[in-house]
Amino acid sequence: MAAYGALVSLRQIIDRIENHPSPPISIDKQQVESLTQNVTFLQDFLDAYISRAVDDHEADPLEHRIADAVYAAEDVIESQIVLQIHNRSTIVGKISSFINLFRALCNCVTIEEDFYHDLQQVIEEMNLIMKEAMEIAAAAQLHRKVSSTHAVPSTSSSTVKEIVMVGFDEVLLEVLDKLTGGQLSRQIIPIMGMGGIVNQR
C-alpha cells in the first residue's frame, strides 16, 4: 500500500529532523504537531480501511489523495533542506561584503516564510483528508453497530438441546393424551417432581 508506506517515510523524516542534534532546517512546532497527528491518525485509519477500488490494479481515490499529500509534504521539507544548505554555503562565500551578507540573510528569511506557507498548504490538504477519513470511519462503525443489532443468531442442530423426561414415558403419554384429548371441561393437570427428572441432551 503506497499511501501507508509514504506515511511511514514522512514520519521518519520528521523524527530525524526533530531528534537531530543540529537539524538542517527548523520546522514550526505547531506544524510538526499537526503533521504528526495527521500521520498517526491516517496510519491507524488505513490499518482498518477497506479499499473502495473495484480492481486490484486500480488505485483507491482516498489512498491516492493521502499518498499525494504525503509526497507533497516530503517534497516541501526536502526542498527546504537543499535550499538551506545552498544558502549557508552562499553566506560563507559572501561574508567579505556586508551588503552581500545582509542580502543573503534577507533571502534566508524569505525562504523560511515560503517554507512555512508551502508546508501549511500541505497540512491543510491533509486536514481535509483526515476529516473525510473520520467520516468514513464513523459511517463504517455505525454500519457495524446496525448490522450487529439486526443479526439473527444462527443455531445449528448440534447446539440445540433436546429436553426429554427420563423414566416417565407412561406418565408423559397420559399427560399428552389429556392435553390433546379434546375434552370440553376444563381440567387441572398438576406436574410435580424432584429436580433432575428432566434431562437435556
Side-chain angles (χ1 to χ4, degrees), residues 59-126:
D60 181 89
L62 182 61
E63 289 181 41
H64 189 70
R65 277 183 66 201
I66 292 170
D68 284 350
V70 173
Y71 293 144
E74 286 184 352
D75 286 345
V76 169
I77 292 169
E78 289 169 357
S79 297
Q80 179 67 5
I81 292 171
V82 172
L83 281 170
Q84 287 289 3
I85 292 169
H86 174 72
N87 225 33
R88 284 173 192 164
S89 63
T90 305
I91 289 171
V92 171
K94 293 180 177 179
I95 204 162
S96 56
S97 167
F98 178 75
I99 294 171
N100 287 339
L101 177 61
F102 180 73
R103 284 178 182 163
L105 289 171
C106 287
N107 190 35
C108 279
V109 172
T110 305
I111 289 170
E112 285 285 335
E113 288 173 354
D114 289 344
F115 171 60
Y116 179 88
H117 176 70
D118 292 345
L119 192 57
Q120 193 60 36
Q121 282 187 316
V122 174
I123 289 170
E124 285 169 11
E125 171 63 15
M126 289 181 79

Side-chain angles (χ1 to χ4, degrees), residues 129-140:
I129 294 168
M130 193 167 83
K131 186 179 177 184
E132 185 179 335
M134 282 177 174
E135 289 170 0
I136 291 169

